[in-house]
Amino acid sequence: MIPGSFDYVRPSSLDEAVSALRDAGDEGKVIAGGQSLLPLLRLRLAFPEVLIDVASVPELHGVRDEGSSLLVGAMTTHYDVLRDPLIREHAPLVAAATSTVADPAVRHRGTFGGSLAHADPAGDLPAVVLAMDGVFVTSSREIPAAEFFADYLTSTLEPDEVLVGVRLPKAFAGWGFHYEKFHRTAQAWAIVGVACLVDRSGGEVAGARIGLTNMGSTPVRASAVEAAVRGGAADREAFRAAAASAAEGTSPPSDLHGSSDYRRHLATVLTARALSAAAGV
Amino acid sequence: MTAAPEIGSARLRSEDARLITGRTNWTDNIQLPGLLHAAFLRSPVAHARITAIDVSEARERPGVIAVFTGADLADEQGSLPCAWPVTEDMVLPDHPPIAVSEVRYVGEPVAVVVARDRYAAADALEAIDVDYESLPAVLDMESAVREGADLVHADKGTNKSYEWVFEAGDIDAAFRDAPVVIERRYVQQRLIPTAMEPRAVVCSAVGDEYTLWSATQIPHILRLMLATVTGIPEHRLRVVAPDVGGGFGSKLQVYGEEVACLLLTKRLGRPIKWTESRSEGNATVHHGRDQIQRLSLAADSDGRIRGLKVDLLADMGAYLMLVTPGIPLLGAFMFNGIYKMDAYHFKCAGIFTTKTPTDAYRGAGRPEATYAIERLMDELAGELSLDPLEVRRRNWIKHEEFPYETIAGLTYDSGNYEAATDKARQLFHYDELRAEQADRRDRGDPVQLGIGVSTFTEMCGLAPSRVLGSLSYGAGGWEHASVRVLPSGKVEVVTGSSAHGQGHETAWAQITADRLGVPFEDVRVLHGDTAVSPKGMDTYGSRSLAVGGVALYNACDKVIDKARRMAAHLLEADEKDIDFEGGAFSVRGVPDQSRTLQEVSLAAFAAHDLPEGFEPSLDSDATHDPDNFSFPHGTHLCAAEVDTETGYVKIRSYVAVDDVGKVVNPLIVEGQVHGGLAQGIAQALYEEAVYDADGNLTTTTMADYLLPAASDLPTFTTDRTETPATTNPLGVKGVGEAGTIASTPAVVNAIVDALRPYGVDDVPMPCTPERVWRALRGGGPEHSTRPGAGGGLGSATEDSRSEA
């Protein structure tokens, strides 16, 4: 568990961070909380020549109220996200999913932006941000969540682009929410996870957002289920029927924690449960 | 005089503060002037001929002092020892510490770099160029024993190391016309012992005096073995096991890295340190379990067992290490469990594969045996529609029948299965849970409830030397202790039992304080250093208390006897008239005339006026060789909720009533039971060393080799019954392995019990959600061997992740 050698820089502004990345060319890597990157370095699965530590870039910290949305700074730790009153009020699904990330030690070091930029489809937050139509704010542009996750561990961030934060709409504040994580041990990654938001008016479902964790090389939306529940009854039977199409269009991995067939099956069961929990039925 | 008896007191462990904070002598904490660091290049392939190794570039890397291949050390590295030739014709291949011409498992060392720091050493590994000529991987035991199979050791002409048979009673008669015959094939999956502290070694030489510090369970055995392998004379070699952070059997070993570090220190004249990483350890610490069990049980229609046939294939891995071949045979005497039967037939074949060698892992042979019989008892109950506790009751040895000679030839000295079961049943609310189970079945609840039973026993307190001799084991099973009452009255205790987390420093001080009547705080316990503790057989097989504790008990008695003589002299009385109580000697009938142990000790030290022939100072030595094993037992009950929609298993409650005989420290016993349960439950639900079709270990990190944390386990309900062992004066039996041995079948029995109405009679371990789900659907393909996607940590990350 000894990483290869690398240089380390710690810029104190966003401009400095961008220029450090630019100087490093293809050999630079941003380090945030290090909870994903350091294991990769120590297992010698990654060999960046320069680590650019963005911990001292002030723009990246904290959660800001922007009126109709929140901007969650990329360097905000999971622990701080969990305790943040704005998150709790306007984006409780984020808090629910964050509370399931790894263990307390990781949640104290790991960051919101770091885990999203890592673009791990088994991570808990990508499916949440995708379901919420979050917007990734970078040093140079804004990227809608639907365009951010390109492939396994690959985002559409350019090599010289720094993730500043993620804009989360407040529009879902009144919606029912639930993050259903299925894993074998508390510290294990999700075999499948379902991030779910449900807007109920009376007995009906006015709208639903569903993001799936670890059902492909990127987080995916269960669009067919979203469409199927819209305008329908908010009850378990309806949810179960709608959730039957949860795995439609997905290509989940097969690994020693579960086969792709099993994951497809889980997606249907867990999506039904997540909808019920989010709708409170 | 101590206020309360020390033996039986639930003292907090006095060693814990330093162990938990790490401010102590972990091997990796040791710093020596001029210390160099070793790193091992390991085979990335399961089986290959080494056709060339080029280390020239690595030698030029900054900070590198030396690089050695197996060929460089071939003349002096010898072969790693196997101390247990279980049969006369056992196939025992050479096992060079660093591979010379062929590698036979992924992770086998092929070269070693010595550098000024760990980083330089790790970097230089990348510069070593090895040419491998691929040979076939041998992964499946059942294929490996077929005619014409690819061979792990081509020169041996077979993949079978040995075949060992035990027979008692007329097995054919037992099966002839038996009304019930249950036949099953169970797989004990391969496990990776995971000690909190990874392996670490430091070596130094001063002149021709060598010291090796190692995170080992066995400093005494290691010293002898390293002397034999390296040719360094035993009296020039000191082995120290400083504080050691767990072993579970994995540090009951003589590892190639220990030999290599010693040889490199000798060659380079510089101290050397090596500490493994977790992933390195997953591949190269010896593994545990890995058996295919073919079982047949014959019974009468009332459930009475007639006979049992056991046919094992036991995976040795690529080589035989210290006690590899004997591990499955420790189970040979345990397949009959607590039950009476007329006949028993046991056959075990040790098989070579191109996987990491196996050896002792917590329970070592007994968990495998206990799993088999306790699963079979539930299957028998299912077949006869009997309650699983009832079918056990009809077969177990009754408390009034002890001592009882079992069909396997052991004499169980004591036990009370009825009492433990009654207590467990009550604590568990057995009848209420059975009612709830029936209700859930009636309702077709998607979450079904299962109740798992395990009424286990085990043999521990290893071991009577004469028995070990009869099993061709290379050493004895005695243990040593010495007690020194210092001139100030403080007491030093030396034990040959080498603690690595068990709490000896507390328990041994309690025994000593209790026997000598001195304050607990006045006792210091020394262990784990061959220069300090000259004799010992170390720690494994739940032997410390039942063997080493008894040696200490006897050593305390000897010190008291010696002190009594001195006290009689001081009190001018006859030795026969001297009483010893509460740490003081007095003349019977004259209580005001007394001398404390401290006063006696000082007088014995000053030696101004000694009885005739009395040797100065108060000390003693004792060695205890047990007459018999000890036989802890207990009844464990597990309630599991099984989600039939997802296959998820949740343990709702777990009751463990253990009978470990007399208890020195209930808190330590409780801790051992908790840890043991966690490991046994982990075998049932979580842990499995997975190899892919090419023989690569894919569970190299804790993301894929899953260990439960406290949050994954239920709150255990533990209690005890106390039936003292009759074979030692402390009445103790040992508790280190009981929880692990008992719990695995309890959990799997609960899962199968939940699913029996669905026609399920087995779920392979670990019972992952997918396996449970597939069992409910009549089977299906096995898990992929690919590591999980999470974090990109799996070694196959470059592969395409998704299926088309």
Side-chain angles (χ1 to χ4, degrees):
Chain A
M1 295 286 269
I2 300 282
S5 68
F6 53 82
D7 285 334
Y8 172 87
V9 296
R10 191 174 173 119
S12 52
S13 73
L14 189 58
D15 286 347
E16 278 178 38
V18 169
S19 68
L21 266 178
R22 206 163 278 156
D23 292 347
D26 290 337
E27 304 302 334
K29 186 82 187 159
V30 171
I31 183 166
Q35 299 305 292
S36 301
L37 182 58
L38 285 180
L40 291 175
L41 298 182
R42 288 161 65 92
L43 290 166
R44 296 194 170 226
L45 295 169
F47 290 90
E49 287 179 9
V50 190
L51 288 190
I52 293 116
D53 184 342
V54 292
S56 299
V57 178
E59 296 94 318
L60 271 54
H61 287 269
V63 180
R64 285 196 293 282
D65 193 335
E66 294 190 327
S68 63
S69 60
L70 301 179
L71 183 67
V72 185
M75 281 300 294
T76 311
T77 64
H78 300 305
Y79 178 74
D80 285 337
V81 165
L82 279 173
R83 292 194 315 160
D84 192 277
L86 290 170
I87 296 276
R88 283 167 174 256
E89 184 182 349
H90 300 293
L93 175 62
V94 170
T98 300
S99 71
T100 73
V101 171
D103 55 38
V106 169
R107 292 197 290 271
H108 273 81
R109 301 287 303 182
T111 64
F112 185 73
S115 65
L116 286 164
H118 193 50
D120 183 351
D124 299 300
L125 300 178
V128 172
V129 173
L130 187 68
M132 293 179 74
D133 275 331
V135 174
F136 288 76
V137 179
T138 79
S139 49
S140 53
R141 58 185 169 138
E142 298 194 352
I143 310 171
E147 294 165 23
F148 184 80
F149 301 103
D151 203 346
Y152 181 67
L153 302 188
T154 308
S155 75
T156 52
L157 285 171
E158 296 295 328
D160 60 352
E161 197 170 8
V162 176
L163 179 64
V164 174
V166 178
R167 186 166 291 136
L168 299 173
K170 287 183 180 174
F172 304 108
W175 292 33
F177 65 92
H178 186 74
Y179 185 65
E180 181 79 19
K181 182 174 185 173
F182 190 85
H183 50 170
R184 289 171 59 197
T185 60
Q187 295 179 348
W189 271 278
I191 296 173
V192 173
V194 181
C196 184
L197 290 159
V198 173
D199 184 15
R200 275 186 71 179
S201 54
E204 295 208 336
V205 175
R209 297 299 189 92
I210 301 164
L212 301 178
T213 297
N214 215 1
M215 284 295 289
S217 57
T218 64
V220 289
R221 281 275 282 275
S223 309
V225 184
E226 292 178 7
V229 294
R230 199 172 300 126
D235 66 51
R236 288 185 175 222
E237 271 319 301
F239 289 149
R240 192 185 296 263
S245 54
E248 217 170 75
T250 63
S251 47
S254 255
D255 59 40
L256 53 81
H257 304 295
S259 67
S260 51
D261 283 351
Y262 178 60
R263 282 188 161 95
R264 284 192 190 94
H265 165 76
L266 280 181
T268 63
V269 175
L270 302 177
T271 298
R273 291 182 184 180
L275 281 164
S276 299
V281 296
Chain B
M1 172 174 188
T2 47
E6 279 291 344
I7 292 180
S9 158
R11 276 192 175 275
L12 290 174
R13 305 196 331 171
S14 46
E15 54 268 71
D16 278 355
R18 69 170 207 271
L19 295 179
I20 291 167
T21 58
R23 292 178 184 204
T24 190
N25 300 316
W26 303 121
T27 301
D28 191 53
N29 284 353
I30 294 170
Q31 297 295 336
L32 297 171
L35 187 66
L36 301 176
H37 296 262
F40 289 87
L41 184 72
R42 298 180 180 281
S43 172
V45 291
H47 195 191
R49 201 166 284 121
I50 300 170
T51 54
I53 304 187
D54 183 356
V55 300
S56 53
E57 195 195 328
R59 283 198 174 116
E60 301 305 314
R61 287 291 181 98
V64 172
I65 303 292
V67 184
F68 297 100
T69 66
D72 295 332
L73 298 171
D75 291 344
E76 53 187 312
Q77 69 173 352
S79 181
L80 293 175
C82 172
W84 202 340
V86 296
T87 59
E88 281 179 13
D89 59 352
M90 181 180 82
V91 173
L92 175 58
D94 274 348
H95 185 189
I98 298 180
V100 177
S101 55
E102 197 167 320
V103 287
R104 296 185 176 87
Y105 67 95
V106 170
E108 186 170 356
V110 292
V112 57
V113 171
V114 182
R116 289 187 206 287
D117 60 56
R118 288 188 78 176
Y119 301 90
D123 286 345
L125 293 181
E126 310 251 343
I128 299 174
D129 195 15
V130 186
D131 290 340
Y132 295 103
E133 182 188 313
S134 184
L135 293 168
V138 179
L139 302 170
D140 173 60
M141 283 194 280
E142 285 167 333
S143 318
V145 291
R146 286 191 199 119
E147 195 71 26
D150 293 321
L151 295 175
V152 179
H153 298 275
D155 59 320
K156 301 297 184 192
T158 176
N159 287 321
K160 193 184 279 189
S161 173
Y162 68 87
E163 187 167 298
W164 193 93
V165 175
F166 178 89
E167 290 172 294
D170 186 342
I171 197 74
D172 293 332
F175 276 78
R176 197 177 304 131
D177 307 320
V180 183
V181 175
I182 309 265
E183 295 190 320
R184 292 288 185 273
R185 177 184 179 277
Y186 294 139
V187 176
Q188 295 287 326
Q189 79 272 29
R190 179 175 275 252
L191 302 179
I192 304 176
T194 308
M196 203 171 289
E197 182 202 20
R199 290 181 296 155
V201 181
V202 174
C203 286
S204 82
V206 177
D208 62 353
E209 306 279 338
Y210 293 88
T211 303
L212 177 134
W213 292 264
S214 181
T216 182
Q217 296 174 223
I218 52 161
H220 299 92
I221 295 171
L222 185 60
R223 181 200 199 195
L224 172 61
M225 292 295 166
L226 287 174
T228 309
V229 172
T230 64
I232 293 171
E234 192 180 354
H235 63 304
R236 302 284 180 217
L237 176 62
R238 172 185 173 196
V239 174
V240 186
D243 284 325
V244 176
F248 311 114
S250 73
K251 294 170 181 172
L252 162 53
Q253 193 52 274
V254 179
Y255 280 110
E257 292 86 352
E258 291 166 324
V259 174
C261 287
L262 195 52
L263 291 176
L264 298 179
T265 296
K266 189 177 170 193
R267 280 224 179 176
L268 300 172
R270 297 273 299 271
I272 288 174
K273 179 191 282 187
W274 169 73
T275 302
E276 78 181 350
S277 74
R278 184 62 66 184
S279 298
E280 193 176 23
N282 274 14
T284 60
V285 160
H286 73 238
H287 292 175
R289 314 282 190 262
D290 206 341
Q291 291 181 355
I292 296 171
Q293 308 176 317
R294 284 165 295 200
L295 310 158
S296 310
L297 181 113
D300 287 329
S301 47
D302 63 357
R304 197 190 66 83
I305 304 169
R306 296 166 63 135
L308 176 66
K309 283 193 272 196
V310 176
D311 186 355
L312 297 187
L313 294 178
D315 194 342
M316 307 284 98
Y319 301 97
L320 302 184
M321 297 192 71
L322 190 61
V323 290
T324 301
I327 296 304
L329 308 187
L330 284 173
F333 309 97
M334 281 287 116
F335 275 89
N336 51 305
I338 63 170
Y339 310 112
K340 298 182 273 192
M341 57 186 74
D342 306 327
Y344 172 51
H345 183 272
F346 174 92
K347 186 172 87 174
C348 174
I351 309 299
F352 291 114
T353 60
T354 53
K355 296 181 187 175
T356 303
T358 60
D359 209 317
Y361 175 50
R362 201 171 190 173
R366 289 101 80 207
E368 296 92 317
T370 303
Y371 181 86
I373 187 63
E374 289 304 303
R375 285 284 296 111
L376 286 177
M377 293 308 282
D378 261 37
E379 294 302 304
L380 179 60
E383 181 74 24
L384 297 173
S385 300
L386 286 172
D387 183 281
L389 285 174
E390 174 59 21
V391 81
R392 284 168 170 81
R393 191 189 62 77
R394 292 182 187 182
N395 284 286
W396 70 37
I397 302 157
K398 295 180 176 56
H399 71 272
E400 64 269 21
E401 293 175 310
F402 290 94
Y404 184 88
E405 186 175 341
T406 72
I407 191 71
L410 294 175
T411 301
Y412 294 178
D413 62 311
S414 69
N416 191 332
Y417 309 137
E418 298 92 329
T421 302
D422 287 348
K423 197 171 211 176
R425 199 183 162 113
Q426 193 179 355
L427 289 167
F428 189 70
H429 304 294
Y430 189 84
D431 296 333
E432 289 92 320
L433 283 169
R434 282 286 179 212
E436 181 185 331
Q437 176 182 51
D439 179 54
R440 286 187 191 235
R441 284 178 179 172
D442 290 346
R443 282 191 285 119
D445 193 325
V447 178
Q448 289 288 311
L449 181 67
I451 293 169
V453 175
S454 172
T455 51
F456 80 105
T457 189
E458 61 136 335
M459 54 185 265
C460 67
L462 306 185
S465 297
R466 63 180 166 79
V467 176
L468 293 178
S470 74
L471 294 171
S472 309
Y473 180 66
W478 49 266
E479 195 46 85
H480 171 260
S482 62
V483 172
R484 298 194 289 258
V485 185
L486 303 176
S488 63
K490 308 292 186 199
V491 181
E492 276 181 347
V493 168
V494 178
T495 174
S497 174
S498 183
H500 44 281
Q502 293 87 347
H504 288 28
E505 290 174 33
T506 304
W508 270 227
Q510 286 182 257
I511 294 170
T512 308
D514 193 273
R515 300 302 296 165
L516 300 187
V518 297
F520 172 83
E521 294 74 17
D522 284 1
V523 184
R524 168 105 195 272
V525 180
L526 304 169
H527 61 87
D529 180 345
T530 59
V532 171
S533 153
K535 291 195 281 187
M537 283 293 179
D538 307 318
T539 289
Y540 44 86
S542 305
R543 68 188 305 272
S544 291
L545 188 60
V547 187
V550 173
L552 174 59
Y553 181 95
N554 293 340
C556 287
D557 277 358
K558 282 188 172 180
V559 152
I560 294 165
D561 286 347
K562 188 174 183 188
R564 190 191 309 275
R565 219 181 132 209
M566 186 72 205
H569 184 70
L570 294 173
L571 292 163
E572 298 177 347
D574 194 294
E575 210 181 312
K576 293 196 299 290
D577 297 330
I578 300 293
D579 286 335
F580 178 63
E581 203 188 330
F585 296 89
S586 59
V587 182
R588 196 165 306 128
V590 195
D592 54 330
Q593 286 279 309
S594 73
R595 292 287 187 278
T596 66
L597 184 70
Q598 288 80 356
E599 289 167 332
V600 173
S601 174
L602 187 59
F605 167 75
H608 298 157
D609 177 18
L610 298 176
E612 183 67 27
F614 190 97
E615 293 180 5
S617 87
L618 268 193
D619 47 27
S620 71
D621 275 284
T623 301
H624 176 64
D625 196 338
D627 291 332
N628 193 0
F629 298 93
S630 54
F631 302 97
H633 71 82
T635 296
H636 288 212
L637 298 172
C638 173
E641 292 178 358
V642 181
D643 184 337
T644 59
E645 292 179 343
T646 64
Y648 190 81
V649 174
K650 179 186 171 217
I651 297 179
R652 189 164 103 185
S653 61
Y654 194 102
V655 169
V657 174
D658 283 280
D659 193 323
V660 298
K662 289 282 190 187
V663 165
V664 171
N665 182 324
L667 202 55
I668 291 178
V669 166
E670 177 96 356
Q672 287 288 336
V673 170
H674 277 234
L677 292 178
Q679 271 171 317
I681 291 170
Q683 175 172 11
L685 295 180
Y686 303 117
E687 296 187 37
E688 181 174 26
V690 177
Y691 284 82
D692 69 15
D694 297 323
N696 299 303
L697 181 74
T698 58
T699 49
T700 56
T701 75
M702 285 187 175
D704 290 313
Y705 191 82
L706 291 190
L707 298 173
S711 49
D712 301 307
L713 297 165
T715 299
F716 303 125
T717 304
T718 60
D719 207 331
R720 290 186 286 109
T721 55
E722 196 168 292
T723 313
T726 62
T727 52
N728 68 67
L730 280 167
V732 298
K733 300 179 183 174
V735 68
E737 296 158 295
T740 309
I741 291 168
S743 55
T744 309
V747 174
V748 179
N749 278 340
I751 295 168
V752 174
D753 184 55
L755 303 183
R756 217 178 274 284
Y758 298 79
V760 173
D761 68 5
D762 193 29
V763 179
M765 295 191 291
C767 304
T768 65
E770 178 164 2
R771 283 186 178 143
V772 173
W773 178 73
R774 287 202 184 279
L776 276 160
R777 279 149 192 80
E782 247 305 313
H783 284 265
S784 162
T785 57
R786 187 180 290 174
L793 301 182
S795 49
T797 45
E798 61 272 26
D799 294 358
S800 157
R801 276 282 155 193
S802 49
E803 290 191 342

